[in-house]
Amino acid sequence: LRGPWPELRRVLNELNTLNQRKTKDWPVLNLDRLAVGGHSSGTLTALHLAGMPVRDRDGRVIATHRDPRIKAFVVYSYPLEYRGPSRDDLKQVGAVAGLHVAGSEDHPEYRNTAYRYIGSAPQHWLVAQGDHNVGATGSVDLILEVTGTFIDAYLNDKPEQRNRLSLAAFESFRPELKQFVSKPAGAFKSPDQRDFAAWARDALPWGRWVHDRAISYYRTRDA
């Protein structure tokens, strides 16, 4: 099986082996509570480890890599709508808390699909000043602060840190913050125009044809 998911699981298993050896100067790691992160296409690796199925080019599920040690994930600049996984696959992500980060100049309205459809655990949505390499263009301190608070809240299970994950906690002294939204587990997902577009693509006889040509047009225009 190709792809980074099996290799990452082997890394986790190797860390467990090193823990058991108790090698001198090797820190004792808590491998029962782990967080995973990824940027751009690397976000898919993080989501696969959280339970999203892996599909081949023909759309067949070839593996599921849900690792119960993963308690939280952080994804930066999730792939654009219709280039990433389906909504049904995103819904299969397990009870893993998530932080979703996007840049204000990187079409954030088309990068929140994972935030909108993952619902088995609390999810947090952050839009910070920046482009696709969000954080490299002026928001690094904010992103480090929010990410650190999120990891401390869910990986170390600190309720006081969860209370800090709110718009009010960041907006008064963080000018690079554009938006911060949270939703609890099982929160209702309000539909938008992309849901109608997805239905038209899959249900109408000509929907796929229009969709493919629209994507091709915008890719050419933005190249």
PDB file of all heavy atoms in Angstrom, residues 66-92:
ATOM      1  N   ARG A  66      -7.409   4.721  11.003  1.00  0.00           N
ATOM      2  CA  ARG A  66      -7.762   5.358  12.272  1.00  0.00           C
ATOM      3  C   ARG A  66      -6.883   4.814  13.382  1.00  0.00           C
ATOM      4  O   ARG A  66      -6.874   3.620  13.663  1.00  0.00           O
ATOM      5  CB  ARG A  66      -9.229   5.089  12.596  1.00  0.00           C
ATOM      6  CG  ARG A  66      -9.643   5.523  13.999  1.00  0.00           C
ATOM      7  CD  ARG A  66      -9.745   7.037  14.095  1.00  0.00           C
ATOM      8  NE  ARG A  66     -10.249   7.447  15.392  1.00  0.00           N
ATOM      9  CZ  ARG A  66      -9.499   7.915  16.385  1.00  0.00           C
ATOM     10  NH1 ARG A  66      -8.191   8.019  16.230  1.00  0.00           N
ATOM     11  NH2 ARG A  66     -10.042   8.277  17.526  1.00  0.00           N
ATOM     12  N   ASP A  67      -6.108   5.708  13.990  1.00  0.00           N
ATOM     13  CA  ASP A  67      -5.236   5.318  15.088  1.00  0.00           C
ATOM     14  C   ASP A  67      -5.836   5.873  16.376  1.00  0.00           C
ATOM     15  O   ASP A  67      -5.945   7.097  16.538  1.00  0.00           O
ATOM     16  CB  ASP A  67      -3.825   5.873  14.874  1.00  0.00           C
ATOM     17  CG  ASP A  67      -2.806   5.254  15.819  1.00  0.00           C
ATOM     18  OD1 ASP A  67      -3.081   5.251  17.033  1.00  0.00           O
ATOM     19  OD2 ASP A  67      -1.768   4.772  15.339  1.00  0.00           O
ATOM     20  N   PRO A  68      -6.240   5.013  17.307  1.00  0.00           N
ATOM     21  CA  PRO A  68      -6.914   5.485  18.518  1.00  0.00           C
ATOM     22  C   PRO A  68      -6.046   6.358  19.408  1.00  0.00           C
ATOM     23  O   PRO A  68      -6.558   7.024  20.310  1.00  0.00           O
ATOM     24  CB  PRO A  68      -7.311   4.184  19.232  1.00  0.00           C
ATOM     25  CG  PRO A  68      -6.366   3.152  18.701  1.00  0.00           C
ATOM     26  CD  PRO A  68      -6.100   3.544  17.288  1.00  0.00           C
ATOM     27  N   ARG A  69      -4.737   6.374  19.145  1.00  0.00           N
ATOM     28  CA  ARG A  69      -3.855   7.237  19.931  1.00  0.00           C
ATOM     29  C   ARG A  69      -3.982   8.697  19.531  1.00  0.00           C
ATOM     30  O   ARG A  69      -3.598   9.593  20.293  1.00  0.00           O
ATOM     31  CB  ARG A  69      -2.407   6.768  19.783  1.00  0.00           C
ATOM     32  CG  ARG A  69      -2.141   5.387  20.348  1.00  0.00           C
ATOM     33  CD  ARG A  69      -0.757   4.863  19.977  1.00  0.00           C
ATOM     34  NE  ARG A  69      -0.668   4.549  18.556  1.00  0.00           N
ATOM     35  CZ  ARG A  69       0.396   4.017  17.962  1.00  0.00           C
ATOM     36  NH1 ARG A  69       1.474   3.746  18.691  1.00  0.00           N
ATOM     37  NH2 ARG A  69       0.402   3.766  16.675  1.00  0.00           N
ATOM     38  N   ILE A  70      -4.526   8.951  18.352  1.00  0.00           N
ATOM     39  CA  ILE A  70      -4.682  10.320  17.871  1.00  0.00           C
ATOM     40  C   ILE A  70      -5.891  10.948  18.555  1.00  0.00           C
ATOM     41  O   ILE A  70      -7.027  10.524  18.338  1.00  0.00           O
ATOM     42  CB  ILE A  70      -4.853  10.360  16.344  1.00  0.00           C
ATOM     43  CG1 ILE A  70      -3.674   9.653  15.644  1.00  0.00           C
ATOM     44  CG2 ILE A  70      -4.985  11.802  15.865  1.00  0.00           C
ATOM     45  CD1 ILE A  70      -2.346  10.283  15.899  1.00  0.00           C
ATOM     46  N   LYS A  71      -5.657  11.971  19.361  1.00  0.00           N
ATOM     47  CA  LYS A  71      -6.730  12.641  20.092  1.00  0.00           C
ATOM     48  C   LYS A  71      -7.046  14.032  19.546  1.00  0.00           C
ATOM     49  O   LYS A  71      -8.067  14.620  19.908  1.00  0.00           O
ATOM     50  CB  LYS A  71      -6.357  12.767  21.579  1.00  0.00           C
ATOM     51  CG  LYS A  71      -5.964  11.452  22.242  1.00  0.00           C
ATOM     52  CD  LYS A  71      -7.098  10.439  22.196  1.00  0.00           C
ATOM     53  CE  LYS A  71      -6.692   9.141  22.911  1.00  0.00           C
ATOM     54  NZ  LYS A  71      -7.748   8.102  22.816  1.00  0.00           N
ATOM     55  N   ALA A  72      -6.172  14.563  18.693  1.00  0.00           N
ATOM     56  CA  ALA A  72      -6.384  15.897  18.145  1.00  0.00           C
ATOM     57  C   ALA A  72      -5.628  16.017  16.828  1.00  0.00           C
ATOM     58  O   ALA A  72      -4.636  15.319  16.606  1.00  0.00           O
ATOM     59  CB  ALA A  72      -5.915  16.968  19.129  1.00  0.00           C
ATOM     60  N   PHE A  73      -6.105  16.882  15.952  1.00  0.00           N
ATOM     61  CA  PHE A  73      -5.382  17.171  14.710  1.00  0.00           C
ATOM     62  C   PHE A  73      -5.442  18.668  14.428  1.00  0.00           C
ATOM     63  O   PHE A  73      -6.371  19.367  14.846  1.00  0.00           O
ATOM     64  CB  PHE A  73      -5.939  16.362  13.528  1.00  0.00           C
ATOM     65  CG  PHE A  73      -7.349  16.703  13.135  1.00  0.00           C
ATOM     66  CD1 PHE A  73      -7.640  17.825  12.357  1.00  0.00           C
ATOM     67  CD2 PHE A  73      -8.410  15.892  13.527  1.00  0.00           C
ATOM     68  CE1 PHE A  73      -8.934  18.130  11.991  1.00  0.00           C
ATOM     69  CE2 PHE A  73      -9.711  16.189  13.165  1.00  0.00           C
ATOM     70  CZ  PHE A  73      -9.977  17.313  12.395  1.00  0.00           C
ATOM     71  N   VAL A  74      -4.429  19.144  13.713  1.00  0.00           N
ATOM     72  CA  VAL A  74      -4.375  20.529  13.257  1.00  0.00           C
ATOM     73  C   VAL A  74      -4.095  20.503  11.766  1.00  0.00           C
ATOM     74  O   VAL A  74      -3.130  19.869  11.324  1.00  0.00           O
ATOM     75  CB  VAL A  74      -3.268  21.328  13.979  1.00  0.00           C
ATOM     76  CG1 VAL A  74      -3.308  22.794  13.550  1.00  0.00           C
ATOM     77  CG2 VAL A  74      -3.405  21.202  15.485  1.00  0.00           C
ATOM     78  N   VAL A  75      -4.942  21.178  10.983  1.00  0.00           N
ATOM     79  CA  VAL A  75      -4.751  21.198   9.530  1.00  0.00           C
ATOM     80  C   VAL A  75      -4.676  22.649   9.069  1.00  0.00           C
ATOM     81  O   VAL A  75      -5.484  23.487   9.464  1.00  0.00           O
ATOM     82  CB  VAL A  75      -5.885  20.438   8.798  1.00  0.00           C
ATOM     83  CG1 VAL A  75      -5.787  18.956   9.082  1.00  0.00           C
ATOM     84  CG2 VAL A  75      -7.261  20.941   9.182  1.00  0.00           C
ATOM     85  N   TYR A  76      -3.685  22.924   8.229  1.00  0.00           N
ATOM     86  CA  TYR A  76      -3.452  24.263   7.709  1.00  0.00           C
ATOM     87  C   TYR A  76      -3.687  24.264   6.200  1.00  0.00           C
ATOM     88  O   TYR A  76      -3.110  23.456   5.476  1.00  0.00           O
ATOM     89  CB  TYR A  76      -2.011  24.700   7.987  1.00  0.00           C
ATOM     90  CG  TYR A  76      -1.614  24.659   9.445  1.00  0.00           C
ATOM     91  CD1 TYR A  76      -0.995  23.530   9.986  1.00  0.00           C
ATOM     92  CD2 TYR A  76      -1.844  25.749  10.279  1.00  0.00           C
ATOM     93  CE1 TYR A  76      -0.628  23.494  11.328  1.00  0.00           C
ATOM     94  CE2 TYR A  76      -1.474  25.719  11.618  1.00  0.00           C
ATOM     95  CZ  TYR A  76      -0.873  24.589  12.138  1.00  0.00           C
ATOM     96  OH  TYR A  76      -0.511  24.554  13.460  1.00  0.00           O
ATOM     97  N   SER A  77      -4.535  25.191   5.738  1.00  0.00           N
ATOM     98  CA  SER A  77      -4.791  25.358   4.301  1.00  0.00           C
ATOM     99  C   SER A  77      -5.294  24.067   3.664  1.00  0.00           C
ATOM    100  O   SER A  77      -4.707  23.542   2.706  1.00  0.00           O
ATOM    101  CB  SER A  77      -3.529  25.857   3.582  1.00  0.00           C
ATOM    102  OG  SER A  77      -3.096  27.082   4.128  1.00  0.00           O
ATOM    103  N   TYR A  78      -6.401  23.546   4.180  1.00  0.00           N
ATOM    104  CA  TYR A  78      -7.041  22.354   3.625  1.00  0.00           C
ATOM    105  C   TYR A  78      -7.284  22.543   2.130  1.00  0.00           C
ATOM    106  O   TYR A  78      -7.605  23.647   1.691  1.00  0.00           O
ATOM    107  CB  TYR A  78      -8.361  22.131   4.365  1.00  0.00           C
ATOM    108  CG  TYR A  78      -9.222  21.012   3.838  1.00  0.00           C
ATOM    109  CD1 TYR A  78      -8.988  19.708   4.224  1.00  0.00           C
ATOM    110  CD2 TYR A  78     -10.275  21.274   2.965  1.00  0.00           C
ATOM    111  CE1 TYR A  78      -9.778  18.676   3.754  1.00  0.00           C
ATOM    112  CE2 TYR A  78     -11.072  20.252   2.495  1.00  0.00           C
ATOM    113  CZ  TYR A  78     -10.825  18.955   2.886  1.00  0.00           C
ATOM    114  OH  TYR A  78     -11.600  17.941   2.418  1.00  0.00           O
ATOM    115  N   PRO A  79      -7.129  21.490   1.282  1.00  0.00           N
ATOM    116  CA  PRO A  79      -7.284  21.638  -0.167  1.00  0.00           C
ATOM    117  C   PRO A  79      -8.628  22.219  -0.570  1.00  0.00           C
ATOM    118  O   PRO A  79      -9.638  22.029   0.105  1.00  0.00           O
ATOM    119  CB  PRO A  79      -7.128  20.198  -0.673  1.00  0.00           C
ATOM    120  CG  PRO A  79      -6.277  19.537   0.336  1.00  0.00           C
ATOM    121  CD  PRO A  79      -6.683  20.137   1.662  1.00  0.00           C
ATOM    122  N   LEU A  80      -8.624  22.915  -1.667  1.00  0.00           N
ATOM    123  CA  LEU A  80      -9.831  23.597  -2.147  1.00  0.00           C
ATOM    124  C   LEU A  80     -10.999  22.641  -2.352  1.00  0.00           C
ATOM    125  O   LEU A  80     -10.818  21.458  -2.620  1.00  0.00           O
ATOM    126  CB  LEU A  80      -9.546  24.324  -3.462  1.00  0.00           C
ATOM    127  CG  LEU A  80      -8.782  25.644  -3.345  1.00  0.00           C
ATOM    128  CD1 LEU A  80      -8.345  26.100  -4.724  1.00  0.00           C
ATOM    129  CD2 LEU A  80      -9.644  26.714  -2.696  1.00  0.00           C
ATOM    130  N   GLU A  81     -12.191  23.196  -2.252  1.00  0.00           N
ATOM    131  CA  GLU A  81     -13.421  22.436  -2.463  1.00  0.00           C
ATOM    132  C   GLU A  81     -13.385  21.696  -3.809  1.00  0.00           C
ATOM    133  O   GLU A  81     -12.939  22.242  -4.808  1.00  0.00           O
ATOM    134  CB  GLU A  81     -14.607  23.398  -2.441  1.00  0.00           C
ATOM    135  CG  GLU A  81     -15.960  22.779  -2.645  1.00  0.00           C
ATOM    136  CD  GLU A  81     -16.425  22.025  -1.408  1.00  0.00           C
ATOM    137  OE1 GLU A  81     -15.655  21.882  -0.461  1.00  0.00           O
ATOM    138  OE2 GLU A  81     -17.572  21.573  -1.408  1.00  0.00           O
ATOM    139  N   TYR A  82     -13.855  20.456  -3.791  1.00  0.00           N
ATOM    140  CA  TYR A  82     -13.944  19.568  -4.957  1.00  0.00           C
ATOM    141  C   TYR A  82     -12.597  18.989  -5.376  1.00  0.00           C
ATOM    142  O   TYR A  82     -12.536  18.173  -6.285  1.00  0.00           O
ATOM    143  CB  TYR A  82     -14.608  20.244  -6.157  1.00  0.00           C
ATOM    144  CG  TYR A  82     -16.024  20.646  -5.876  1.00  0.00           C
ATOM    145  CD1 TYR A  82     -16.484  21.914  -6.189  1.00  0.00           C
ATOM    146  CD2 TYR A  82     -16.910  19.755  -5.268  1.00  0.00           C
ATOM    147  CE1 TYR A  82     -17.780  22.286  -5.916  1.00  0.00           C
ATOM    148  CE2 TYR A  82     -18.210  20.125  -4.991  1.00  0.00           C
ATOM    149  CZ  TYR A  82     -18.646  21.391  -5.311  1.00  0.00           C
ATOM    150  OH  TYR A  82     -19.925  21.761  -5.035  1.00  0.00           O
ATOM    151  N   ARG A  83     -11.524  19.395  -4.751  1.00  0.00           N
ATOM    152  CA  ARG A  83     -10.238  18.750  -5.011  1.00  0.00           C
ATOM    153  C   ARG A  83      -9.889  17.796  -3.880  1.00  0.00           C
ATOM    154  O   ARG A  83      -8.936  17.049  -3.985  1.00  0.00           O
ATOM    155  CB  ARG A  83      -9.132  19.792  -5.156  1.00  0.00           C
ATOM    156  CG  ARG A  83      -9.331  20.756  -6.323  1.00  0.00           C
ATOM    157  CD  ARG A  83      -8.150  21.688  -6.447  1.00  0.00           C
ATOM    158  NE  ARG A  83      -8.414  22.738  -7.414  1.00  0.00           N
ATOM    159  CZ  ARG A  83      -7.569  23.698  -7.727  1.00  0.00           C
ATOM    160  NH1 ARG A  83      -6.391  23.740  -7.136  1.00  0.00           N
ATOM    161  NH2 ARG A  83      -7.873  24.632  -8.602  1.00  0.00           N
ATOM    162  N   GLY A  84     -10.622  17.887  -2.812  1.00  0.00           N
ATOM    163  CA  GLY A  84     -10.346  17.060  -1.656  1.00  0.00           C
ATOM    164  C   GLY A  84     -11.339  15.929  -1.514  1.00  0.00           C
ATOM    165  O   GLY A  84     -12.090  15.611  -2.440  1.00  0.00           O
ATOM    166  N   PRO A  85     -11.384  15.301  -0.346  1.00  0.00           N
ATOM    167  CA  PRO A  85     -12.265  14.157  -0.102  1.00  0.00           C
ATOM    168  C   PRO A  85     -13.732  14.563  -0.148  1.00  0.00           C
ATOM    169  O   PRO A  85     -14.088  15.740  -0.038  1.00  0.00           O
ATOM    170  CB  PRO A  85     -11.864  13.702   1.304  1.00  0.00           C
ATOM    171  CG  PRO A  85     -10.541  14.327   1.563  1.00  0.00           C
ATOM    172  CD  PRO A  85     -10.523  15.604   0.797  1.00  0.00           C
ATOM    173  N   SER A  86     -14.580  13.561  -0.272  1.00  0.00           N
ATOM    174  CA  SER A  86     -16.020  13.817  -0.276  1.00  0.00           C
ATOM    175  C   SER A  86     -16.496  14.150   1.130  1.00  0.00           C
ATOM    176  O   SER A  86     -15.832  13.858   2.135  1.00  0.00           O
ATOM    177  CB  SER A  86     -16.766  12.582  -0.788  1.00  0.00           C
ATOM    178  OG  SER A  86     -16.691  11.527   0.168  1.00  0.00           O
ATOM    179  N   ARG A  87     -17.671  14.727   1.219  1.00  0.00           N
ATOM    180  CA  ARG A  87     -18.258  15.037   2.511  1.00  0.00           C
ATOM    181  C   ARG A  87     -18.507  13.760   3.316  1.00  0.00           C
ATOM    182  O   ARG A  87     -18.314  13.734   4.525  1.00  0.00           O
ATOM    183  CB  ARG A  87     -19.557  15.805   2.299  1.00  0.00           C
ATOM    184  CG  ARG A  87     -19.353  17.203   1.728  1.00  0.00           C
ATOM    185  CD  ARG A  87     -20.648  17.712   1.085  1.00  0.00           C
ATOM    186  NE  ARG A  87     -20.578  19.134   0.787  1.00  0.00           N
ATOM    187  CZ  ARG A  87     -19.959  19.652  -0.245  1.00  0.00           C
ATOM    188  NH1 ARG A  87     -19.312  18.844  -1.084  1.00  0.00           N
ATOM    189  NH2 ARG A  87     -19.950  20.955  -0.458  1.00  0.00           N
ATOM    190  N   ASP A  88     -18.951  12.711   2.644  1.00  0.00           N
ATOM    191  CA  ASP A  88     -19.215  11.454   3.353  1.00  0.00           C
ATOM    192  C   ASP A  88     -17.944  10.886   3.971  1.00  0.00           C
ATOM    193  O   ASP A  88     -17.980  10.324   5.074  1.00  0.00           O
ATOM    194  CB  ASP A  88     -19.835  10.432   2.399  1.00  0.00           C
ATOM    195  CG  ASP A  88     -21.270  10.776   2.038  1.00  0.00           C
ATOM    196  OD1 ASP A  88     -21.910  11.520   2.820  1.00  0.00           O
ATOM    197  OD2 ASP A  88     -21.751  10.316   0.988  1.00  0.00           O
ATOM    198  N   ASP A  89     -16.807  11.016   3.266  1.00  0.00           N
ATOM    199  CA  ASP A  89     -15.549  10.539   3.831  1.00  0.00           C
ATOM    200  C   ASP A  89     -15.128  11.385   5.024  1.00  0.00           C
ATOM    201  O   ASP A  89     -14.616  10.865   6.025  1.00  0.00           O
ATOM    202  CB  ASP A  89     -14.450  10.548   2.773  1.00  0.00           C
ATOM    203  CG  ASP A  89     -14.563   9.378   1.804  1.00  0.00           C
ATOM    204  OD1 ASP A  89     -15.441   8.520   2.020  1.00  0.00           O
ATOM    205  OD2 ASP A  89     -13.783   9.325   0.836  1.00  0.00           O
ATOM    206  N   LEU A  90     -15.327  12.696   4.935  1.00  0.00           N
ATOM    207  CA  LEU A  90     -14.978  13.568   6.052  1.00  0.00           C
ATOM    208  C   LEU A  90     -15.807  13.231   7.288  1.00  0.00           C
ATOM    209  O   LEU A  90     -15.318  13.302   8.421  1.00  0.00           O
ATOM    210  CB  LEU A  90     -15.194  15.034   5.666  1.00  0.00           C
ATOM    211  CG  LEU A  90     -14.181  15.616   4.676  1.00  0.00           C
ATOM    212  CD1 LEU A  90     -14.655  16.966   4.170  1.00  0.00           C
ATOM    213  CD2 LEU A  90     -12.815  15.753   5.323  1.00  0.00           C
ATOM    214  N   LYS A  91     -17.055  12.860   7.076  1.00  0.00           N
ATOM    215  CA  LYS A  91     -17.924  12.521   8.201  1.00  0.00           C
ATOM    216  C   LYS A  91     -17.454  11.273   8.936  1.00  0.00           C
ATOM    217  O   LYS A  91     -17.890  11.019  10.067  1.00  0.00           O
ATOM    218  CB  LYS A  91     -19.359  12.317   7.711  1.00  0.00           C
ATOM    219  CG  LYS A  91     -20.036  13.589   7.208  1.00  0.00           C
ATOM    220  CD  LYS A  91     -21.405  13.287   6.639  1.00  0.00           C
ATOM    221  CE  LYS A  91     -22.063  14.538   6.087  1.00  0.00           C
ATOM    222  NZ  LYS A  91     -23.388  14.244   5.466  1.00  0.00           N
ATOM    223  N   GLN A  92     -16.582  10.488   8.316  1.00  0.00           N
ATOM    224  CA  GLN A  92     -16.096   9.267   8.956  1.00  0.00           C
ATOM    225  C   GLN A  92     -14.894   9.502   9.873  1.00  0.00           C
ATOM    226  O   GLN A  92     -14.411   8.568  10.514  1.00  0.00           O
ATOM    227  CB  GLN A  92     -15.741   8.230   7.886  1.00  0.00           C
ATOM    228  CG  GLN A  92     -16.951   7.747   7.104  1.00  0.00           C
ATOM    229  CD  GLN A  92     -16.613   6.619   6.151  1.00  0.00           C
ATOM    230  OE1 GLN A  92     -15.970   5.646   6.531  1.00  0.00           O
ATOM    231  NE2 GLN A  92     -17.046   6.748   4.904  1.00  0.00           N
TER     232      GLN A  92
END
